[in-house]
């Protein structure tokens, strides 16, 4: 049994918690800012050093490629093009972590949607330099020429059953329209929200049941639809100022300009809502962790 490090690094999770424990209990009790500052430090440590968190895993190149839905040859190409950061090396073995996996899935997704490697490198480089991702994604319609962010995925029903691995959950997903039965006998299916299913399966790895995840999806969907209607209504009001119902349509160039505005509006709406939701979730998580730490340390 290994002995705990009595002098953990200050920029590690153990170091942050150790410093927090050194603060007198009276100060911790009377100044919640101390705990909130520690929570902020905890999340900064995890973001800066994802490989050092307890939940982080490491993969060999074959496993990394399989989990990202690509090939080992592609992984090496992306490494050669500096799209992926260097792996950790143990002798001759290259070990990749969850940061590499997330980046690789992003690269694969962008290439599948029509971007070139040069486009991907430019956008990731801009993101890493601190430029706003919402502005960068404004290039999307010009580069990829696509509208929908997800492409439905067709497969045999048996494959979908293996993917979900829960017959009652599969029936619920069919009722919700996330999975559509095709053909007279339903032997083929179409997954209309493949990214949602992928997220479900990843989160299930932490022990959350698929039923709970479907419950959350059902509960949040009306709120998401309401937000969508608010945003789209703003764009629609602008269009209706230029295109009056019952009146002759404006010139083609003006219609094209309006459609381009709506495409851009959609891109920026998604970026702004994503940023706002991410900020809200981060604040909620930090508050929850702060509460847990406070309960534990003030006993």
């Amino acid at each position: 049994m290994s002995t705990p490090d009595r002098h953990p690094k200050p920029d590690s999770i153990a170091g942050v918690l150790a410093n927090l424990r050194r603060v007198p209990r009276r100060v911790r009790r009377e100044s919640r800012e101390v705990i909130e500052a520690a929570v902020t430090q905890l999340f900064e440590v995890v973001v800066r050093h994802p490989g050092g968190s307890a939940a982080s895993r490491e993969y060999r190149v074959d496993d990394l490629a399989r989990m990202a839905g690509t090939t080992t040859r592609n992984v090496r190409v992306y490494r050669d093009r500096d799209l992926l950061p260097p792996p950790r090396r143990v002798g001759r073995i290259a070990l990749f972590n969850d940061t590499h996996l997330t980046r690789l899935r992003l690269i694969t997704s962008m290439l599948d949607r029509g971007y070139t490697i040069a486009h991907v490198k430019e956008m990731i480089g801009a993101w890493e330099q601190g430029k706003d991702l919402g502005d960068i994604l404004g290039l999307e319609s010009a580069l990829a020429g696509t509208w929908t962010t997800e492409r439905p995925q067709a497969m045999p029903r048996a494959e979908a059953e293996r993917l979900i691995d829960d017959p009652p959950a599969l029936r619920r997903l069919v009722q919700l329209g996330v999975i559509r039965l095709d053909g007279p006998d339903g032997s083929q299916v179409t997954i209309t929200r493949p990214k949602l299913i992928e997220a479900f399966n990843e989160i299930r790895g932490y022990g959350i049941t698929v039923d709970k995840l479907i419950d959350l999806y059902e509960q949040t969907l009306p709120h998401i639809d309401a937000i969508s209607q608010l945003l789209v209504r703003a764009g629609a009001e602008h269009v209706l100022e230029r295109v009056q119902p019952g009146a002759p349509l404006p010139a083609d160039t003006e219609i094209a300009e309006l459609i381009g505005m709506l495409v851009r509006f959609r891109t920026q709406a998604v970026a702004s809502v994503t940023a706002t939701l991410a900020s809200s979730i981060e604040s909620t998580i930090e508050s929850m962790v702060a509460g847990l730490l406070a309960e534990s340390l003030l006993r």
Side-chain angles (χ1 to χ4, degrees), residues 5-232:
D5 187 355
R6 295 185 179 181
H7 302 287
K9 295 180 180 179
D11 62 343
S12 67
I13 291 177
V16 173
L17 291 175
N19 287 335
L20 181 60
R21 291 190 183 98
R22 292 191 190 102
V23 176
R25 184 175 301 178
R26 179 181 56 79
V27 175
R28 294 198 301 252
R29 184 181 293 113
E30 295 176 358
S31 179
R32 190 172 182 84
E33 288 83 359
V34 172
I35 291 179
E36 290 175 349
V39 170
T40 300
Q41 285 181 290
L42 284 174
F43 283 92
E44 287 177 351
V45 167
V46 173
V47 169
R48 286 199 309 268
H49 308 292
S53 68
S56 183
R57 293 161 292 181
E58 290 189 317
Y59 318 92
R60 296 195 180 199
V61 65
D62 291 346
D63 294 329
L64 180 77
R66 176 180 53 78
M67 295 180 70
T70 187
T71 64
T72 56
R73 179 180 178 277
N74 283 341
V75 173
R76 294 188 178 99
V77 169
Y78 304 153
R79 273 288 303 118
D80 291 340
R81 302 289 183 90
D82 293 324
L83 293 176
L84 286 172
R88 185 171 76 89
R89 293 199 171 272
V90 179
R92 295 186 177 183
I93 300 174
L95 295 176
F96 299 82
N97 59 32
D98 288 336
T99 300
H100 293 97
L101 180 59
T102 300
R103 173 74 66 87
L104 186 55
R105 283 174 172 167
L106 172 64
I107 294 167
T108 302
S109 173
M110 292 174 73
L111 291 174
D112 286 345
R113 292 166 63 187
Y115 293 96
T116 65
I117 284 184
H119 290 144
V120 175
K121 185 172 183 178
E122 179 184 354
M123 293 177 73
I124 289 179
W127 184 17
E128 289 178 334
Q129 291 168 19
K131 295 183 180 178
D132 184 74
L133 189 58
D135 290 338
I136 296 166
L137 291 177
L139 301 171
E140 180 174 339
S141 59
L143 296 178
T146 59
W147 172 251
T148 57
T149 55
E150 271 189 295
R151 295 177 182 175
Q153 185 178 354
M155 63 180 64
R157 178 167 180 165
E159 185 177 341
E161 290 173 345
R162 287 193 297 271
L163 185 65
I164 305 302
D165 195 27
D166 188 320
L170 179 63
R171 288 193 291 270
R172 289 185 67 188
L173 291 170
V174 170
Q175 292 171 352
L176 290 168
V178 176
I179 295 178
R180 186 181 68 232
L181 301 181
D182 297 327
D185 58 355
S187 60
Q188 292 289 120
V189 304
T190 298
I191 298 180
T192 62
R193 299 288 313 281
K195 290 182 180 178
L196 182 67
I197 299 300
E198 181 182 342
F200 278 7
N201 281 337
E202 183 169 340
I203 296 173
R204 286 167 71 182
Y206 293 94
I208 302 176
T209 66
V210 68
D211 263 339
K212 177 65 174 177
L213 294 172
I214 296 174
D215 288 343
L216 290 171
Y217 174 71
E218 285 189 290
Q219 292 164 17
T220 56
L221 189 58
H223 300 289
I224 294 171
D225 286 343
I227 292 170
S228 173
Q229 289 170 12
L230 282 171
L231 294 170
V232 172

Side-chain angles (χ1 to χ4, degrees), residues 223-261:
H223 300 289
I224 294 171
D225 286 343
I227 292 170
S228 173
Q229 289 170 12
L230 282 171
L231 294 170
V232 172
R233 191 176 300 125
E237 287 171 355
H238 178 71
V239 170
L240 289 174
E241 290 175 0
R242 311 261 298 269
V243 182
Q244 296 294 328
L249 289 173
D252 289 354
T253 52
E254 188 172 352
I255 293 176
E257 180 186 342
L258 287 172
I259 293 174
M261 182 274 294

